[in-house]
Amino acid sequence: MDTEKKLSGLTIALHWLVALSILTLCGVGIYMVQSEAWPLYHIHKSIGLLIFALIIARVAWRLLNGLPKPVREFSRFEHLAAKTVHWLLLLGTLAMPLTGMLFSGASGHGFGIFSWEIFPANYAPDKPGQAIPLSAAWSDLGQALHGYLGYLLLALIVLHVAGALKHHILDKDHTLSRMLGRRAE
């Protein structure tokens, strides 16, 4: 379990695996949209679904274990800001794959993990590779939410990193060290 002095190996592993995966997938997602790199969508969706399993594990662990205990007393505002950003990050990482699945499924493209089809594509029988949307409205909503959430998550990550650096550089406390696996003294 997590304490004020040390975080569990599971907490640290889930944090960094999800963080690096989300950053990578957001970067790839932005690249795909801007450069119309359609062949990357299959890989992006497959890796996103695999990461979704880690995200669910992280959210479940966080719900069971609670947020990490602060390493020292903080102002009421700082404590509320930290809790808000942490919960928004958890919800955002959960919502990203869900909105991606909504977008891909409703658009008729389906989704799966590499060759394992989870939700089938709906292609036109006379035009191979041309998807027929199951619902254009749900597809558009999923696409918009997925895009906006990606940018919101990136902004929250910047805020989270800024907070961690503030703890480390200005406050000189052990918040960041603890997430790097070091025991607070």
Side-chain angles (χ1 to χ4, degrees):
M1 298 298 281
D2 298 335
T3 69
E4 294 88 3
K5 297 202 180 274
K6 189 173 187 320
L7 298 177
S8 70
L10 183 58
T11 293
I12 294 168
L14 287 172
H15 174 273
W16 289 109
L17 285 170
V18 170
L20 295 173
S21 299
I22 290 288
L23 282 170
T24 301
L25 286 171
C26 282
V28 170
I30 291 168
Y31 172 77
M32 288 183 330
V33 169
Q34 290 181 347
S35 66
E36 298 182 358
W38 312 129
L40 291 177
Y41 275 78
H42 180 65
I43 296 166
H44 179 81
K45 290 190 286 187
S46 294
I47 293 172
L49 287 167
L50 290 171
I51 300 309
F52 187 47
L54 280 176
I55 291 167
I56 290 171
R58 182 162 192 262
V59 170
W61 178 247
R62 202 37 64 228
L63 290 173
L64 289 171
N65 205 32
L67 289 174
K69 294 169 181 49
V71 298
R72 63 177 179 83
E73 289 294 318
F74 294 101
S75 72
R76 187 170 176 222
F77 171 77
E78 276 183 295
H79 187 68
L80 180 62
K83 282 178 71 170
T84 301
V85 169
H86 278 110
W87 285 113
L88 286 174
L89 281 166
L90 283 169
L91 289 172
T93 58
L94 194 58
M96 276 301 285
L98 291 173
T99 57
M101 286 184 268
L102 174 63
F103 170 37
S104 194
S107 70
H109 289 96
F111 54 85
I113 299 173
F114 298 104
S115 296
W116 179 46
E117 188 176 69
I118 295 172
F119 190 88
N122 186 34
Y123 292 125
D126 56 335
K127 296 178 184 172
Q130 183 177 344
I132 301 170
L134 301 176
S135 169
W138 283 106
S139 174
D140 291 346
L141 177 65
Q143 181 181 24
L145 289 174
H146 195 67
Y148 291 133
L149 277 171
Y151 288 112
L152 176 62
L153 263 178
L154 289 173
L156 286 168
I157 290 167
V158 167
L159 189 59
H160 185 63
V161 169
L165 291 173
K166 175 204 170 282
H167 281 291
H168 192 71
I169 296 166
L170 298 178
D171 299 340
K172 298 193 185 312
D173 67 31
H174 298 287
T175 301
L176 180 59
S177 299
R178 187 173 65 162
M179 187 48 81
L180 293 172
R182 298 186 197 119
R183 186 175 183 81
E185 298 301 322

